[in-house]
Amino acid sequence: MRTRNLAIASTVLAVAALLTPAALADRPVWFTSWAQSQQNLAPVTLHDQSMRMITRLSQGGSAVRIRVQNTFGRQPLTIDRTTVALSAGGAAVEGTRDVTFGGRRAVTIPAGGEMWSDRTSLNTVPDTDLAVSMHVAGEVVPGRHDAAFRDNYLTPPGSGDHTTGQGAAYTQTVQSTYLVSAVDVFNPRLKGTVVPFGSSVVDGVGSTDCGPGCTELGTNKRWTDVLARRIAASPGPQLAVANAGVSGTTSAVCPRTPAPFVGLDALSRLERDVLALHGVSDVIYYYGTNDLANGCTAADIVTSYRAVFQRLREAGIAVHVTPITPRPGYSDQNNVDRHAVNDFVKRGGDCSDTCAAVQDFDQVLEDPIKPNSINAQYDVGDGVHVNIRGQRAIADYIALETIA
């Protein structure tokens, strides 16, 4: 009995040591719960007006902070006031709370720079729509993420500060996300943040397609959204999901990459779009389709994979890779290269010792009769992207224990 009591006492002391203030201070408490990577400048100039961007949080917490970027700006960006609030639908909100940057309401971000806000206390839960409102008194050409797959809101030029308004002043809509690129939540109970990283199929192209003549704008049905809801509803470890997809991008630097996407390859944007987020524990890497279309070879793609995976592993992040999914427009050589890359990815089930696991979306999406094409029930009609049904199939394929 005495031996048993000593063992229990030792266990209690060990647990207590893990719960010391110093140990608790080392645990992550901020996790990126939503993201949309900046990719270019919007084709508008804002002047003395307000914007209200709606962000769907994958996990909640007791406080939030936001990231504002001027990555593509050619001059300093001044935001005169920022607020956050729970969305009440459309541009309407339920109360507002001021957001500060270094203790100040106004913030100026140099060209090429970014800024994370201070902590703002606000209770949120998974699937919360958080409205981020900003007023710019001067002239600003905002950075943006092209496709929000929902409406966001602007007041007319010259209309002034409406960051605390209930929503009636926001008479203009845009389907891009301006300035804000990430939202963190304060939640020590979360285990990590999963970052899906890739091009348009990660970004969400097709996720508003519910069938012929049917569109669901703003219903958050990307496969990454469905995955986030599956995690939140599960009894297992809780993780946030932050989408780092940018349509049109490639993993490698390819010879025929269109000008708007040059400089947005995976390695070039890895630091700001993945590693700069908080609490990142896992990356789901879904690239390669545009690489082949833009003239990259299997060797080019595998070289880029190795470089990205090495950097993520050095940061202690588990990498889950999907094989390159089908596209009927590929040439015979494209398909030879696709299968060569996929052989590298699937070899040994761990990307030839370069990643943690394979998420075989190729198996999910391929047509069983024409394996170089997407299954017709998932195809939006372009042979590349998948509809809401296909988005759900991708998310449902992922075994949660593989990323928990």
Side-chain angles (χ1 to χ4, degrees), residues 32-178:
T32 302
S33 185
W34 171 90
Q36 283 191 339
S37 304
Q38 295 268 294
Q39 62 191 102
N40 56 32
L41 291 175
V44 298
T45 299
L46 305 177
H47 175 69
D48 188 22
Q49 63 193 114
S50 300
M51 66 200 80
R52 181 160 286 170
M53 304 289 116
I54 311 299
T55 67
R56 171 63 65 97
L57 303 185
S58 59
Q59 290 282 0
S62 60
V64 298
R65 62 186 185 187
I66 68 170
R67 178 172 73 165
V68 181
Q69 286 182 267
N70 193 25
T71 301
F72 299 96
R74 301 186 183 93
Q75 58 189 26
L77 162 69
T78 297
I79 301 171
D80 298 273
R81 189 176 187 181
T82 301
T83 66
V84 291
L86 301 181
S87 171
V93 295
E94 298 176 0
T96 59
R97 302 197 181 191
D98 275 312
V99 173
T100 59
F101 297 83
R104 298 184 178 184
R105 194 167 75 177
V107 62
T108 298
I109 303 170
E114 67 175 45
M115 183 75 71
W116 284 90
S117 75
D118 302 327
R119 169 186 180 140
T120 302
S121 294
L122 182 67
N123 289 323
T124 57
V125 297
D127 257 2
T128 292
D129 276 342
L130 181 77
V132 180
S133 304
M134 303 179 196
H135 171 241
V136 292
E139 289 195 348
V140 167
V141 179
R144 68 169 177 174
H145 182 89
D146 276 1
F149 300 105
R150 61 152 301 114
D151 283 334
N152 285 312
Y153 306 95
L154 304 176
T155 63
S159 59
D161 181 1
H162 291 275
T163 54
T164 62
Q166 290 304 297
Y170 291 87
T171 57
Q172 301 179 14
T173 60
V174 293
Q175 290 177 11
S176 297
T177 301
Y178 293 170

Side-chain angles (χ1 to χ4, degrees), residues 2 22 51 78 84 96 105 111 132 153 159 182 197 258 270 283 286 291 318 321 335 346 363 401 404:
R2 184 171 184 273
M51 66 200 80
T78 297
V84 291
T96 59
R105 194 167 75 177
V132 180
Y153 306 95
S159 59
F197 185 40
L270 181 65
V283 163
Y286 192 170
D291 294 62
V321 185
N335 278 317
K346 296 179 182 181
Q363 176 182 314
E401 59 269 20

Side-chain angles (χ1 to χ4, degrees), residues 319-334:
V319 187
H320 311 263
V321 185
T322 182
I324 301 175
T325 46
R327 183 182 289 197
Y330 286 152
S331 66
D332 289 345
Q333 184 59 52
N334 286 155

Side-chain angles (χ1 to χ4, degrees), residues 24 27-31 59-63 123-126 185-193 231 236-240:
L24 289 172
R27 293 175 58 194
V29 291
W30 287 102
F31 296 87
Q59 290 282 0
S62 60
N123 289 323
T124 57
V125 297
V185 296
F186 183 91
N187 188 343
R189 292 185 298 277
L190 296 181
K191 182 183 177 183
T193 292
I231 294 171
Q238 292 296 291
L239 303 123

Side-chain angles (χ1 to χ4, degrees), residues 118-374:
D118 302 327
R119 169 186 180 140
T120 302
S121 294
L122 182 67
N123 289 323
T124 57
V125 297
D127 257 2
T128 292
D129 276 342
L130 181 77
V132 180
S133 304
M134 303 179 196
H135 171 241
V136 292
E139 289 195 348
V140 167
V141 179
R144 68 169 177 174
H145 182 89
D146 276 1
F149 300 105
R150 61 152 301 114
D151 283 334
N152 285 312
Y153 306 95
L154 304 176
T155 63
S159 59
D161 181 1
H162 291 275
T163 54
T164 62
Q166 290 304 297
Y170 291 87
T171 57
Q172 301 179 14
T173 60
V174 293
Q175 290 177 11
S176 297
T177 301
Y178 293 170
L179 296 181
V180 59
S181 62
V183 177
D184 283 359
V185 296
F186 183 91
N187 188 343
R189 292 185 298 277
L190 296 181
K191 182 183 177 183
T193 292
V194 180
V195 180
F197 185 40
S199 53
S200 55
V201 184
V202 174
D203 198 0
V205 173
S207 66
T208 61
D209 185 329
C210 46
C214 173
T215 300
E216 293 187 13
L217 186 66
T219 57
N220 303 293
K221 291 186 177 175
R222 306 168 188 84
W223 66 265
T224 57
D225 299 319
V226 180
L227 175 63
R229 288 191 285 272
R230 284 189 61 209
I231 294 171
S234 77
Q238 292 296 291
L239 303 123
V241 178
N243 190 312
V246 174
S247 294
T249 57
T250 56
S251 65
V253 176
C254 298
R256 296 198 300 271
T257 296
F261 307 110
V262 171
L264 293 175
D265 59 277
L267 194 59
S268 295
R269 67 188 191 90
L270 181 65
E271 187 69 38
R272 68 173 179 264
D273 290 349
V274 178
L275 297 175
L277 305 180
H278 295 107
V280 178
S281 55
D282 299 79
V283 163
I284 299 176
Y285 194 84
Y286 192 170
Y287 256 123
T289 57
N290 292 329
D291 294 62
L292 295 174
N294 291 331
C296 270
T297 65
D300 297 328
I301 297 167
V302 169
T303 298
S304 73
Y305 280 21
R306 288 186 183 278
V308 172
F309 300 168
Q310 179 180 348
R311 181 70 186 90
L312 291 170
R313 286 164 58 125
E314 288 170 352
I317 296 169
V319 187
H320 311 263
V321 185
T322 182
I324 301 175
T325 46
R327 183 182 289 197
Y330 286 152
S331 66
D332 289 345
Q333 184 59 52
N334 286 155
N335 278 317
V336 168
D337 286 328
R338 180 168 82 90
H339 291 297
V341 174
N342 291 357
D343 179 64
F344 163 78
V345 168
K346 296 179 182 181
R347 191 180 305 137
D350 61 358
C351 311
S352 306
D353 296 321
T354 66
C355 73
V358 174
Q359 299 292 344
D360 198 348
F361 300 164
D362 181 42
Q363 176 182 314
V364 177
L365 298 183
E366 72 176 8
D367 188 311
I369 299 173
K370 299 182 292 183
N372 288 327
S373 298
I374 291 175

